Structure formats: C-alpha cells, structure tokens
Amino acid sequence: MTTKSYILDNGAYTAKVGHTDDEAPKIIPNYIMKAKSERRRTFIGDQLSECRDKSGLYFMLGFQKGYLLNWDIQKTVWDYIFSKDCCKANFLEMPLIVTEPYFNFSSIQEGMTEMFFEEYEFQALLRTNAGNLSCYHYHHNKPSTKCCLVVETGYSFTHIVPYILKKKFKPGILRVNVGGKILTNHLKEVISYRQLHVMEETYVMNQCKEDLCFMSTDFDRDLKIAKMKWPKNTIVRDYILPDYTTVNRGLIRTLDETSVSRTVDKDQQVLRMNNERFTIPEILFHPNDIGIPQMGISEAIVLSINLCPEETRSHLYNNIIVTGGNGCFPGFEERLTKEVRALAPDEFDVSVTVPENPITYAWHGGNLLSKDPDFFSLVLTKEEYDEEGFSACHRFDV
C-alpha cells in the first residue's frame, strides 16, 4: 500500500479536497449552479469562475439541512472533483478519507460506502466526522492535552462536541440549528425590507456577509454607535454591488469615498450596511432573535461541558477550538471567550482558539492522520467490504 491518501472534507457548502502532503486543500463549492445569463450551461463547483454574470444564480445543493439527500447532484460534483480538471484521484492506489455529519442516517452511510467502493472503486476508505480530524489536528499541535471541545459552526448548523482522550463523548454532543445559510438568508430578508430587493441574489449577499459582517464584542455599545451620524458612526459602510462588467465582487467604501465615486459613476447600486454588519452574526449567540427557540453557542458550550464527567470539565473549558466558516467573522474568538467566561464557574480557566483558517482546519487534521503509523488499521479495504458488505463499517467512529 502506498502512504499517499486522498482527503475529502465533504461539507454541505464547500468540499475541501487534496492529497497527503499538499500544502493546502482546494476549496470547491459543493453544489451546481445555473445562471440567468447562460441558461443552457450548469456550473459545477469552481467552474463558477467561468460565469460572466453571477446575478440571480440558482443553486442546487446535494445537502438539505446538513444531510446528503440529493445523490444525483452530489455525484455530479464528486465526478468533477475526482476528475483531472480538479483534483485527480488514483482510486486503485489511494485510500480515501471522507467526512460526514454527526449522527448521520445509516441509509446515507450505506449509500456513500457503496458509491465509493463500487462506483469509484477506491481500494480503502475511512469515513469519519470533521470534528474527529479537528481533534486529531489539535492534539497533534498540543500533545499533552487530555480533552478538547470542538465547536464546528458551518453552513447548516453548529455542533458542540466534547472529546475526552481523543474519543468523542456522545452524551455531550449538542447541535444548534444556526449556520451560515440562516445568516445569509436573514441578511437577504433584512436588506430586501430596508433597501433593495435581493431575495434572489444569494451569491452576492453571501459575499456581502463575508466581506462586511463582524462579531460584536459589546453589542449595546455598537448599537449606540450605529445610531450616530457619519463620521461619528465608525460602523456604517457602503457596499458597491457588482455589475459584472467592471466590478466582479462587491466593493467596500466609507461614505466619503462613495460620494466621490458616485460623481464618477452614477449607475452604481449601493447597499448601506450599518447595524446589519453585527446584528446578523449575533444570531449565532441569540437564535431567539429570529424566532428559533434554541440556546446560543455560548450556553450550548456550557451545557455540553456540564454533561461531561466532572473531572474533564476544567480541561474542556481550557481547550475550546472553533472550526467552520462562521469562525472567520472578525471578533469571534474574543466574543466567544467573553461569553463563555461569564457563564463558566470561576475556578476554571477559559481558552478559545480560532485557527488561522477555520475552514480548512479539519482537512489538515486528515492530512496529518493519513501519515499516522496506525492509519491503515483504521481504514476499511475493498476486500473486506466485498466479503462482509456494509456490516464491516461498524469500525468507523461516526
């Protein structure tokens, strides 16, 4: 067996793919799109860069509410990912590490396993959770750590997962049904109500959220600032919407810069982003604000730790690691530390880590795992699958 593996962190919004020893994974959108400007063509994954006009894009996702339901779409994306145009896989020689959601349905697990062995003919497979790879990565960087708490905040929802001695503690796993998708949809509704109809512009508004939103560390103070007039209001920004002739991605401007550029180009469409910049990400901490009857991330972390054995709690509070796209909001680490510190017992130290790139953190964990001397004891080979069928998959810790 060769030691090079193919690592696929198959998220609901993006798939992170690459081989062992790649410096960084390719981040491929895990969906198919159709554009109004080019009706006949479908864009798979990162082919979207070839689309001239990205307004009014129509998304087709394989994942619904965090679980893989539309196999045709997912297979189309996988076919593209495994092709020489994207990140070629030598199925016969490479083991595959693939991620799946927590508490995935066994019918989906069976379908995935069958597809990888029978359709793509991989020689060996390891199905795991992204959190397991993040935990491995964290322990690799801090070998003396006994426990860690992975906060995985992605597209569909946020999972809080305690790991004790590198094994996940299932009674402590919690899910908050808020992820990046809800934030983008809420931003579309707010902007459509206050300024401009953008309900069909999911792609542009997602970019707007990524470019402009931040996590407030003092919500009341920022709200007061947002009520002031420019230039005392340091939060307000204008977002010049892309027209796909001269501007391909929205531009951020202060109000002074906008008035200058408006004299040059009167046709610019501008969104004025004020308190939306921090009230949208706030939903992660207060889902009640938009009618989701659930606790926020900080309360969920404290509840999850309280569900774990008492002797592990100090370790868990001291080793909170945040992964997933929502961890990219500026101020997230500071805000989460502040909130958890306020709720945690005084005798525990609280330490929250948001890695440099929370999106690819799990993939890098998979990359490290594929070099582990014990790696081949974890995988299921094609011979074992042919002999025992799906029942051989019980060894996977998912």
Side-chain angles (χ1 to χ4, degrees):
M1 278 191 177
T2 56
T3 49
K4 214 171 185 191
S5 301
Y6 192 93
I7 304 138
L8 168 61
D9 180 3
N10 196 51
Y13 188 67
T14 56
K16 283 67 71 178
V17 289
H19 303 98
T20 305
D21 294 330
D22 285 358
E23 261 184 42
K26 282 188 173 183
I27 299 178
I28 310 292
N30 200 0
Y31 43 79
I32 299 172
M33 286 142 296
K34 288 190 174 176
K36 282 181 179 173
S37 54
E38 298 173 59
R39 294 267 162 129
R40 292 194 183 147
R41 182 171 175 194
T42 54
F43 297 92
I44 304 163
D46 59 0
Q47 289 177 349
L48 185 63
S49 55
E50 299 161 24
C51 176
R52 291 190 299 276
D53 185 350
K54 298 185 184 73
S55 57
L57 281 179
Y58 176 64
F59 284 72
M60 291 179 283
L61 289 97
F63 279 76
Q64 298 294 329
K65 296 192 176 173
Y67 293 101
L68 176 52
L69 297 183
N70 193 321
W71 289 92
D72 294 339
I73 290 172
Q74 185 63 83
K75 186 175 183 310
T76 307
V77 177
W78 280 342
D79 287 346
Y80 171 70
I81 286 174
F82 296 146
S83 71
K84 63 179 188 298
D85 300 331
C86 182
C87 188
K88 185 151 176 55
N90 186 345
F91 305 134
L92 296 174
E93 291 176 16
M94 284 184 178
L96 171 71
I97 300 174
V98 65
T99 63
E100 58 174 307
Y102 293 100
F103 304 119
N104 199 3
F105 298 100
S106 59
S107 56
I108 300 175
Q109 293 176 332
E110 198 168 338
M112 270 176 84
T113 310
E114 188 179 315
M115 193 175 273
F116 287 128
F117 277 132
E118 296 181 14
E119 187 85 28
Y120 295 116
E121 297 184 334
F122 273 95
Q123 57 111 23
L125 172 71
L126 170 62
R127 266 195 3 251
T128 184
N129 303 126
N132 295 5
L133 302 181
S134 300
C135 170
Y136 187 89
H137 191 170
Y138 190 76
H139 279 281
H140 184 268
N141 295 346
K142 296 187 176 182
S144 60
T145 310
K146 297 275 190 295
C147 312
C148 69
L149 186 85
V150 177
V151 178
E152 202 180 302
T153 172
Y155 179 67
S156 307
F157 28 56
T158 299
H159 278 103
I160 319 289
V161 191
Y163 283 85
I164 299 167
L165 300 174
K166 298 187 187 177
K167 288 267 183 263
K168 62 175 173 281
F169 183 67
K170 286 190 175 173
I173 300 178
L174 297 177
R175 187 176 90 191
V176 181
N177 289 333
V178 177
K181 183 180 183 178
I182 280 180
L183 303 188
T184 303
N185 286 343
H186 189 59
L187 179 61
K188 286 195 303 187
E189 286 175 19
V190 168
I191 297 295
S192 298
Y193 181 72
R194 293 177 183 174
Q195 300 182 53
L196 193 69
H197 182 72
V198 290
M199 290 307 286
E200 292 179 8
E201 302 297 340
T202 307
Y203 185 78
V204 176
M205 293 317 292
N206 195 55
Q207 287 185 332
C208 177
K209 178 192 78 176
E210 289 171 4
D211 292 346
L212 271 171
C213 287
F214 65 92
M215 193 59 78
S216 168
T217 47
D218 186 338
F219 189 78
D220 293 338
R221 183 202 64 204
D222 286 345
L223 217 46
K224 281 176 187 165
I225 294 172
K227 285 177 183 171
M228 293 177 184
K229 290 219 166 17
W230 172 265
K232 282 185 181 174
N233 180 348
T234 52
I235 290 170
V236 67
R237 292 286 181 276
D238 280 341
Y239 193 70
I240 315 289
L241 291 171
D243 56 11
Y244 297 110
T245 49
T246 53
V247 182
N248 272 327
R249 184 169 180 135
L251 303 169
I252 302 165
R253 296 271 188 267
T254 62
L255 272 56
D256 292 343
E257 290 168 339
T258 308
S259 55
V260 172
S261 68
R262 270 272 171 93
T263 54
V264 180
D265 184 359
K266 292 186 172 63
D267 295 332
Q268 286 177 343
Q269 281 191 306
V270 178
L271 293 181
R272 185 151 291 178
M273 296 283 286
N274 193 8
N275 64 18
E276 299 88 353
R277 288 187 66 196
F278 58 89
T279 54
I280 298 299
E282 190 66 21
I283 296 165
L284 289 164
F285 287 93
H286 297 103
N288 265 334
D289 290 354
I290 57 165
I292 298 172
Q294 292 188 353
M295 59 176 73
I297 292 181
S298 43
E299 291 105 315
I301 287 172
V302 174
L303 177 60
S304 171
I305 292 175
N306 286 340
L307 291 168
C308 296
E310 206 167 323
E311 62 275 15
T312 64
R313 291 175 193 169
S314 63
H315 298 285
L316 291 167
Y317 275 118
N318 209 13
N319 294 284
I320 299 172
I321 172 88
V322 178
T323 66
N326 297 325
C328 297
F329 284 124
F332 194 96
E333 185 175 329
E334 197 183 331
R335 172 66 186 273
L336 190 60
T337 306
K338 183 182 168 187
E339 294 262 333
V340 176
R341 177 65 279 168
L343 295 167
D346 293 347
E347 65 267 25
F348 297 138
D349 290 332
V350 172
S351 169
V352 175
T353 308
V354 176
E356 194 178 328
N357 189 343
I359 295 173
T360 59
Y361 192 79
W363 184 90
H364 285 292
N367 195 352
L368 293 166
L369 177 64
S370 67
K371 301 173 196 170
D372 191 297
D374 298 330
F375 171 63
F376 283 100
S377 67
L378 304 171
V379 301
L380 174 71
T381 63
K382 177 119 174 51
E383 294 81 55
E384 289 170 316
Y385 176 76
D386 289 342
E387 213 170 285
E388 299 175 52
F390 180 65
S391 59
C393 296
H394 60 75
R395 71 178 66 178
F396 295 139
D397 177 28
V398 287

